[in-house]
Amino acid sequence: SACAIAAPSVARPFVSRHSPRSPRRVRVSYRVVTAGVMIDASSASASSPKPRLVLFGSQGSRSPLVNWYMHELGLPFSVRPPSDSGNPHPFGQIPALVDFTDSSTDAVAADLESVQLWESGAILSYLGDRHGDLDTPKKRANASKWILWANASLDPCLFKENERGQVLDTGARVVGKQEPPKALQRLEKVLAASQSGWLLKEGFGPGDVAVGAYLLYVPQFFRDVSFSRWPKICDYMKRCASRPAYAEAYGDDVAEFLVNKCTEWIE
């Protein structure tokens, strides 16, 4: 049963939104970022260059949702810690990504040509565009609207913060006659009407990664909260956690715990 499974051994990812570090100027160096990292640049000049991606993140943060999508796409990538000097984020936060795929193999040129970005939503959109199948404006728009909704509407619904950015509780907790969150009520209807079982009729995509990841953080860190009033969301969460790429990003123990928890709610 879900109750018999030990708590996933990961740090709380939403304790604070803000990095304790001071703002800093960063010059990303190809030599620094790729030092000690296995990145094969031999095919960089080919018509379909091999991906050369470096993700700055940690397991106890939001960065595994980026890992999840890169595993879904089958992309090879290397991971560096948040404090690494090559982290391009101006405030030293994570996740952040540097993509040398379309850069020259020359170290000096690569520094100028690499793509550097941060914020999980921006990274998901970019990966789908450059390395996925978001190859038309319509596809990019369809994916982006759910990625942005996850960050702008679902996140503040699920995670209640104080003025210091510390998460104190979840909006998924419905007590007594309290009105359930409108965001979850509407998401339940969207999933009920979905023929594909995912947010878009075309099937699973980066929008599902963003929405699914945020939903699945709740049972990890608020064990007493149930989603049973939203059966379609429960089924959606279970299918997200059942994906091999999710387990690869978050760990088998976390995925198993979540699948069992969702099954318990559904039954």
Side-chain angles (χ1 to χ4, degrees):
S1 68
C3 296
I5 298 175
S9 55
V10 295
R12 293 177 66 91
F14 293 112
V15 172
S16 177
R17 303 283 185 194
H18 309 292
S19 169
R21 301 184 186 90
S22 299
R24 61 194 179 105
R25 291 183 178 274
V26 176
R27 180 182 181 276
V28 177
S29 166
Y30 180 81
R31 291 190 179 92
V32 170
V33 170
T34 60
V37 176
M38 295 298 293
I39 294 183
D40 180 9
S42 60
S43 60
S45 59
S47 58
S48 298
K50 182 176 181 179
R52 294 182 290 158
L53 297 156
V54 181
L55 174 67
F56 297 83
S58 66
Q59 199 61 28
S61 71
R62 293 185 184 219
S63 59
L65 72 88
V66 178
N67 298 43
W68 177 13
Y69 188 43
M70 288 199 283
H71 287 311
E72 292 281 358
L73 294 175
L75 294 173
F77 62 97
S78 301
V79 180
R80 302 300 291 267
S83 59
D84 190 279
S85 62
N87 185 351
H89 197 296
F91 300 104
Q93 296 175 334
I94 53 174
L97 183 77
V98 178
D99 188 355
F100 292 106
T101 300
D102 299 311
S103 301
S104 167
T105 56
D106 176 77
V108 175
D111 289 349
L112 299 175
E113 297 168 358
S114 65
V115 176
Q116 304 166 18
L117 68 163
W118 47 90
E119 294 296 333
S120 60
I123 295 173
L124 292 179
S125 295
Y126 168 76
L127 290 172
D129 186 2
R130 175 59 186 85
H131 298 283
D133 64 352
L134 304 184
D135 53 1
T136 68
K138 183 177 181 179
K139 288 182 179 180
R140 288 190 287 272
N142 283 336
S144 294
K145 65 189 179 188
W146 282 110
I147 294 171
L148 293 176
W149 180 82
N151 285 280
S153 299
L154 184 61
D155 181 315
C157 165
L158 294 178
F159 306 106
K160 301 301 182 181
E161 303 177 351
N162 62 17
E163 65 279 2
R164 296 189 299 276
Q166 296 173 312
V167 175
L168 305 178
D169 202 358
T170 174
R173 187 190 307 280
V174 180
V175 180
K177 296 182 179 180
Q178 181 181 350
E179 187 74 17
K182 290 183 179 179
L184 294 179
Q185 297 287 83
R186 290 171 180 170
L187 180 60
E188 177 74 5
K189 292 180 180 179
V190 168
L191 293 172
S194 172
Q195 295 182 350
S196 69
W198 303 106
L199 296 174
L200 298 178
K201 63 180 181 180
E202 293 79 10
F204 184 88
D208 294 295
V209 171
V211 172
Y214 287 171
L215 290 169
L216 288 167
Y217 276 127
V218 175
Q220 291 183 63
F221 305 106
F222 299 98
R223 301 300 179 84
D224 60 329
V225 174
S226 173
F227 278 78
S228 59
R229 68 173 60 238
W230 302 292
K232 295 300 182 181
I233 293 179
C234 290
D235 178 68
Y236 176 76
M237 293 169 67
K238 180 178 179 179
R239 287 184 288 107
C240 284
S242 298
R243 297 181 71 87
Y246 184 90
E248 193 168 358
Y250 286 90
D252 290 335
D253 60 334
V254 174
E256 181 183 4
F257 169 79
L258 293 168
V259 168
N260 286 335
K261 177 64 74 173
C262 293
T263 300
E264 175 186 303
W265 291 334
I266 295 170
E267 296 177 349

